[in-house]
Amino acid sequence: MPVLQTTSHGAVTDSVRPPEFSRAERVRVLATTAAGSVVLGYAAVAALLALVSSTAAHASFSTTGVLTAAAPGWLVAHHVPLRFDAGQLGLLPLLPTALVMLLVYRAAAGAADRLGLFEPLQARSVVFGIAGTHAVVGGVIAFLMGDEGPVRATPAVAFFGCAVVSGVAAVAGVAQRCGLVEVVFERIDPVARRGLRAGALALFALAAAGALVLALGLLLSWSTTASLFDQTGGTLGTGLGIWLLCLAYLPNAVIGALSYVVGSGFSIGQVVVGPLEFTGGPVPAVPLLAALPEQHSAYLPLVLVLPGAIGVLVGVVLRDASEAPRSRVRAVLVAAVTAGVGALVLAAVAGGALGAGVFHPVTIPAGLLAVLTVGWIAVPGGVVAWFSGPRPPRVAAPVPEPEPVVEEEPVEAEDHSDEGGDSDDSEDDDYDDDYEDDYQDDYDEPESDDDLDDDLDLDDDLDYEDDDQDYEDDEPDDQDDEPDPEDPQDDTPDDTPDDDPTPDPDLADKPR
């Protein structure tokens, strides 16, 4: 029944619930897958050898001989170098390797589907099972071939070589089904993701350009190609064998042409072939090599236009990767590095030793090829992506509005301060003078003793008449003690009683 499955990498998928398998059933499925990929690969190599030997002239065919000869062929298909008495065969065909990897890819994908795997960690059992089985079989074959036979292989090299080739193919087979692709891309930002895809596209375009140059060379040298086929004897078996040999080494030739297009070229022994450098000499009598130029020509450097055009194409593809020009250039750099690393790996596996004769070794300069690939993509692609892509709108900085100038009326601060100060001082002076006059009037010395006695008697009478009223009036008031400077008219001291008694006739005549 359909269910929602949540994977460890956060993806929720609507799929069919995977069947439940016991441990024994899982082991059986994994063992069948690993052994089946080995047997099918070995059987394909044996069938190809049987076809060649059965059609070749003066060749004896036997089942035992074919099965025995298929063992080193199976190692060659896993890109394991072989040793002969005359030297070492390190220049191995890439087409059988690609077919073996395709076979392992499909086997791993089928095992993941049968077991219902959808978690990244669940892919370990399939990958380790297939890689381990191929590694053990390769090591055993190399060991059984021995050191005294006509064809030999190093067991350690065979062990790890078979493990790497089959392991990479198995990872590719379970990557999509177990979510490995999502796990990788979730950790990469969208700009870098676009760069990775553009880099793969650029590498494919460079390989296509190399294949185009190779096909054009074979077409222009078709007479040489036909004569090389005729020199092999003209029989069906011999022609089939030469044709299969050229087909097996066709990916190697395409990679060599890729290196030629980029500018790094390649070499076969003493022969150096490149758009800017050419050194002639003998080459193997293989029809595939008829595409090589016989001498340097002035038009050969024109092939350098192709990688430049591919770099421009990468810039056009990534012109909308981001609105920021720097981000687009970063995407172009990611694409250039991706294509450079891919070219480095291809060049490393396409060349190798070829016996010990004049054709040894066949070299494709991997380092130079990688550097030139990065340059051809990064420079023109970066320029195109920088200038042809969208740009963020420029937001003009807001211009600050000038503050309105308010004209202030001139204020005569000095005059007001002087007037205010003079008025306050005058009011204080008037108050002090009045207070001193009152004080002096109240306490002036009497003119005679009689007047003094009359005043004392009057005071005593007033005190006895209204005792309570006098106590309240004479009680100090904090608020009234302090004179109010704002009221200059208040010249009467606070301690003056509210109800003045009738003055003494003797005192009334005195000036106040």
Side-chain angles (χ1 to χ4, degrees):
M1 59 178 285
V3 294
L4 292 177
Q5 296 179 353
T6 304
T7 61
S8 61
H9 52 278
V12 179
T13 59
D14 186 5
S15 60
V16 179
R17 183 185 298 276
E20 298 293 338
F21 288 94
S22 62
R23 185 179 182 85
E25 292 175 340
R26 293 177 63 87
V27 171
R28 180 178 58 81
V29 172
L30 294 175
T32 302
T33 302
S37 62
V38 172
V39 172
L40 288 178
Y42 198 94
V45 173
L48 183 61
L49 292 178
L51 176 63
V52 173
S53 61
S54 62
T55 57
H58 311 289
S60 59
F61 174 80
S62 64
T63 304
T64 304
V66 169
L67 294 178
T68 304
W74 189 84
L75 292 179
V76 169
H78 285 78
H79 216 74
V80 177
L82 301 178
R83 291 181 286 112
F84 304 90
D85 294 335
Q88 182 178 359
L89 177 61
L91 180 63
L92 303 174
L94 291 178
L95 183 60
T97 304
L99 295 177
V100 168
M101 294 183 71
L102 178 62
L103 180 63
V104 174
Y105 170 88
R106 295 182 61 86
D113 289 339
R114 291 180 59 186
L115 296 175
L117 306 181
F118 60 92
E119 290 281 349
L121 294 179
Q122 294 176 345
R124 296 178 300 177
S125 57
V126 177
V127 174
F128 290 159
I130 293 177
T133 303
H134 282 251
V136 171
V137 173
V140 170
I141 291 176
F143 178 77
L144 295 177
M145 291 170 63
D147 294 334
E148 303 297 333
V151 181
R152 300 176 294 275
T154 304
V157 175
F159 181 89
F160 290 105
C162 295
V164 170
V165 171
S166 60
V168 171
V171 169
V174 299
Q176 186 67 33
R177 291 164 175 79
C178 295
L180 296 178
V181 177
E182 288 79 2
V183 170
V184 173
F185 280 102
E186 283 177 358
R187 290 165 171 79
I188 303 175
D189 60 281
V191 175
R193 194 179 308 160
R194 289 283 303 273
L196 289 175
R197 293 173 179 171
L201 175 63
L203 184 61
F204 177 79
L206 289 173
L212 178 63
V213 170
L214 176 63
L216 184 61
L218 290 174
L219 183 62
L220 295 176
S221 304
W222 182 251
S223 58
T224 305
T225 304
S227 64
L228 290 175
F229 271 105
D230 294 337
Q231 292 177 6
T232 58
T235 61
L236 178 62
T238 304
L240 180 61
I242 294 298
W243 184 82
L244 291 176
L245 179 66
C246 293
L247 185 62
Y249 279 97
L250 180 61
N252 303 66
V254 171
I255 296 173
L258 183 155
S259 181
Y260 179 85
V261 168
V262 171
S264 55
F266 58 91
S267 62
I268 304 175
Q270 301 298 323
V271 178
V272 179
V273 181
L276 301 177
E277 181 182 5
F278 181 84
T279 303
V283 295
V286 178
L288 194 61
L289 297 179
L292 296 179
E294 297 181 358
Q295 60 183 2
H296 184 70
S297 301
Y299 63 86
L300 292 180
L302 294 178
V303 298
L304 297 178
V305 176
L306 296 176
I310 293 173
V312 172
L313 176 63
V314 171
V316 172
V317 170
L318 296 177
R319 71 184 185 277
D320 58 346
S322 175
E323 293 184 357
R326 292 184 178 180
S327 298
R328 296 196 296 269
V329 172
R330 182 168 65 89
V332 172
L333 292 178
V334 172
V337 173
T338 302
V341 172
L344 178 68
V345 174
L346 293 178
V349 300
L354 188 58
V358 295
F359 308 131
H360 170 77
V362 177
T363 304
I364 299 176
L368 181 60
L369 174 60
V371 172
L372 292 178
T373 301
V374 172
W376 280 117
I377 296 176
V379 176
V383 173
V384 172
W386 179 278
F387 291 102
S388 65
R391 293 180 177 272
R394 295 183 177 181
V395 180
V399 179
E401 298 181 358
E403 297 182 358
V405 179
V406 180
E407 297 183 357
E408 298 181 356
E409 297 180 358
V411 179
E412 297 179 359
E414 296 181 357
D415 296 341
H416 286 291
S417 61
D418 294 342
E419 293 176 359
D422 295 342
S423 61
D424 293 341
D425 294 341
S426 62
E427 291 177 358
D428 293 341
D429 294 341
D430 294 341
Y431 179 79
D432 293 339
D433 293 341
D434 295 340
Y435 185 80
E436 289 178 359
D437 292 342
D438 294 340
Y439 185 80
Q440 293 295 334
D441 292 341
D442 292 340
Y443 294 97
D444 285 340
E445 292 182 0
E447 296 178 357
S448 63
D449 294 338
D450 294 337
D451 293 336
L452 179 60
D453 293 338
D454 293 338
D455 291 337
L456 293 175
D457 293 339
L458 178 61
D459 291 337
D460 292 340
D461 293 339
L462 292 174
D463 290 338
Y464 283 111
E465 287 178 0
D466 197 359
D467 201 10
D468 295 335
Q469 184 68 31
D470 290 340
Y471 284 137
E472 294 177 359
D473 294 338
D474 293 337
E475 196 173 32
D477 190 357
D478 295 337
Q479 298 178 354
D480 297 335
D481 287 345
E482 297 180 0
D484 190 0
E486 297 180 359
D487 189 6
Q489 304 297 328
D490 188 8
D491 297 335
T492 305
D494 293 340
D495 55 355
T496 306
D498 295 335
D499 297 333
D500 294 337
T502 303
D504 191 348
D506 298 332
L507 300 175
D509 294 334
K510 296 181 179 181
R512 301 293 288 175

